[in-house]
Amino acid sequence: MLLFQLPEDVLYHILSYLDCKTLSRLSQVSKVICHIVSRDVVWKNIAKGLLNTGITRYWTDIYPHILLKDRVKTAQNWCDGVCKRSTPLKWKTKLLPWIQLDGDTLFLSQAAEIRSYPLRHGCKKIRYNPVKVYSGHQADVCRFVLTDSHLISGGSDGKILVHNRRSDSTMKLFGHNQEVNCIDSRNELIVSGSRDQTIKIWTLASSCPRDLIPLYDRVWSVVINPTLSSFVTGTACCENLSPLRIWDVERLECVCSLGSDFRRGAGVLDMVFETPFHLFTCGYDTFIRLWDLRLSPQKSVMEWEEPHDSALYCMQTDGNHMIASGSSYYGVVRLWDKRLTECLQFFQLSSDLVSSPVYCLRFSSSHLYAALATALHSLDFRHNLNITIR
């Protein structure tokens, strides 16, 4: 029996032991073999060990619509730092923008508005006209979050707006006394934090808060656990309290505090739940920290330090090996491999004369977008570099 006369499941199992170079050469033998080698099951083991292929630590696939073979090629560019840089959007006034990605749509806050731009391939010119504009705040938007059906924003006017993405309706919540620094939402639950040192819990069914928790410190970040049973708050660390605390959603009690050696002023600016048990945090103390909530809360299980002693404003993970972070000086974006202690790649997006923090960053399988004070920057890691905002 010839090799390619074997049953498919046996053949795919054999091919899964080959490396990238061997599979690439094998795919050039014939069209039939090329079709077999291009199947995702052949590349899954390879993709598991690379950066940002969409295969998470629990083998779920974030980008099932993209061939895994193509994602493996792009992953090498992420690792090597090979990309094409561009500035799709610029504005004259210095802002504190925030961005979110939803498929092929990018949402960007500019002053008191949130604008959505479609990301299209093959377009050489840039059109600055957004597809949709979400407005209603009387001052700058500080943060916003996307759900399947809603866009929920918090502003420096203290208001929280719930925009229905399927219609033009907007519900205004009775927000905070000062700016809403952070907001998160899952299912029908909304949690907001403010400079007024309080956390408020809302549901989409009511414009009044369900509960209020005083924290006695400015709240910079909040994130809801995927299980919906708890949420984590990150404060400015200006009081004799840990800046990281976990709260039970129903009992409204502090379940525990994370860490015991935060210095004064080490505020937590961004947090990400990678799994219900794994929490990443970053902030003014220049560290990215990984917390395993199943273990002792006194110490993080891993740490990565920003080498230039810059505060870390934002971060995102790929669910497997990669972390991307944005720092407070010169628009520096860093890529980290969790298996290493040193930074893997870094990109300086602002000039030495005009320094700006990276206020927010988001990435897809092929692009990284970073929002600075006066521009949106794009890093394209594909072999075929022809995407822009239209």
Side-chain angles (χ1 to χ4, degrees):
M1 180 179 289
L2 299 177
L3 176 64
F4 289 94
Q5 291 177 330
L6 290 170
E8 281 194 358
D9 56 340
V10 177
L11 180 59
Y12 290 143
H13 184 72
I14 294 171
L15 294 178
S16 68
Y17 286 95
L18 302 182
D19 57 24
C20 288
K21 191 174 183 179
T22 305
L23 287 172
S24 298
R25 287 180 174 177
L26 190 61
S27 65
Q28 298 173 11
V29 173
S30 69
K31 290 183 178 179
V32 174
I33 296 177
C34 180
H35 175 73
I36 294 173
V37 172
S38 296
R39 296 291 296 274
D40 280 1
V41 66
V42 176
W43 294 88
K44 203 165 186 179
N45 282 336
I46 296 174
K48 179 70 172 177
L50 299 178
L51 301 183
N52 196 30
T53 57
I55 303 298
T56 69
R57 67 171 70 184
Y58 295 108
W59 293 100
T60 56
D61 194 345
I62 301 174
Y63 312 115
H65 58 289
I66 305 174
L67 283 176
L68 202 51
K69 178 182 177 181
D70 295 335
R71 284 183 268 163
V72 167
K73 291 180 181 178
T74 305
Q76 190 61 53
N77 287 343
W78 285 91
C79 184
D80 296 337
V82 178
C83 63
K84 181 179 179 181
R85 304 188 190 194
S86 62
T87 309
L89 290 172
K90 292 182 179 180
W91 47 90
K92 295 181 180 180
T93 306
K94 288 188 177 181
L95 304 173
L96 280 73
W98 192 256
I99 56 176
Q100 296 285 5
L101 284 178
D102 185 13
D104 291 329
T105 304
L106 183 141
F107 294 80
L108 169 69
S109 65
Q110 292 176 286
E113 296 180 339
I114 301 169
R115 304 175 181 182
S116 64
Y117 300 90
L119 303 174
R120 301 190 184 279
H121 297 265
C123 299
K124 295 182 179 180
K125 294 183 179 180
I126 297 176
R127 290 179 54 187
Y128 289 90
N129 296 328
V131 172
K132 193 168 184 178
V133 177
Y134 300 88
S135 58
H137 284 284
Q138 302 302 313
D140 289 0
V141 174
C142 297
R143 291 288 187 273
F144 68 91
V145 63
L146 296 173
T147 67
D148 291 339
S149 57
H150 293 85
L151 185 153
I152 306 163
S153 60
S156 55
D157 56 1
K159 299 296 187 294
I160 297 173
L161 300 182
V162 180
H163 305 272
N164 193 317
R165 296 175 59 185
R166 298 167 183 169
S167 67
D168 294 328
S169 63
T170 300
M171 180 172 68
K172 184 177 293 186
L173 305 183
F174 297 102
H176 294 261
N177 296 326
Q178 298 183 44
E179 57 259 45
V180 181
N181 291 323
C182 52
I183 194 162
D184 195 19
S185 178
R186 286 181 180 269
N187 290 1
E188 299 290 312
L189 182 69
I190 303 172
V191 179
S192 63
S194 170
R195 183 182 283 269
D196 67 7
Q197 304 185 358
T198 65
I199 283 286
K200 290 187 177 182
I201 303 173
W202 319 73
T203 62
L204 288 176
S206 173
S207 61
C208 295
R210 191 193 79 182
D211 297 293
L212 182 147
I213 304 175
L215 293 191
Y216 310 105
D217 201 358
R218 289 168 293 174
V219 186
W220 290 134
S221 55
V222 64
V223 64
I224 301 172
N225 192 300
T227 63
L228 302 179
S229 61
S230 63
F231 62 90
V232 186
T233 57
T235 59
C237 200
C238 293
E239 304 296 332
N240 296 323
L241 298 168
S242 170
L244 279 170
R245 280 173 281 176
I246 304 176
W247 302 83
D248 186 276
V249 169
E250 297 300 328
R251 293 184 285 117
L252 303 181
E253 295 177 355
C254 180
V255 178
C256 69
S257 298
L258 299 179
S260 58
D261 57 351
F262 286 100
R263 66 178 185 267
R264 189 175 179 86
V268 178
L269 297 176
D270 200 9
M271 301 186 289
V272 176
F273 265 112
E274 195 171 71
T275 73
F277 307 107
H278 297 100
L279 174 70
F280 287 85
T281 64
C282 69
Y284 284 118
D285 65 349
T286 76
F287 280 91
I288 300 171
R289 288 186 167 90
L290 169 61
W291 308 85
D292 191 329
L293 304 186
R294 298 167 296 185
L295 305 178
S296 170
Q298 298 304 311
K299 188 171 178 58
S300 57
V301 295
M302 292 190 71
E303 294 179 350
W304 298 268
E305 184 177 10
E306 214 287 334
H308 291 164
D309 200 32
S310 299
L312 295 173
Y313 275 42
C314 55
M315 64 179 174
Q316 187 183 356
T317 77
D318 69 345
N320 195 13
H321 298 306
M322 192 178 84
I323 309 172
S325 65
S327 69
S328 59
Y329 294 126
Y330 304 114
V332 171
V333 171
R334 296 187 186 275
L335 301 183
W336 308 79
D337 189 327
K338 297 175 190 174
R339 298 163 292 188
L340 306 174
T341 56
E342 302 294 327
C343 167
L344 185 65
Q345 299 292 341
F346 83 96
F347 310 91
Q348 183 176 328
L349 303 182
S350 65
S351 66
D352 293 340
L353 297 177
V354 184
S355 175
S356 168
V358 178
Y359 290 110
C360 186
L361 63 80
R362 293 290 182 265
F363 59 76
S364 63
S365 64
S366 58
H367 285 70
L368 186 147
Y369 298 95
L372 276 63
T374 58
L376 173 71
H377 294 259
S378 170
L379 303 180
D380 187 342
F381 291 88
R382 294 172 307 155
H383 288 268
N384 185 21
L385 307 175
N386 61 351
I387 193 170
T388 186
I389 292 179
R390 182 179 176 85

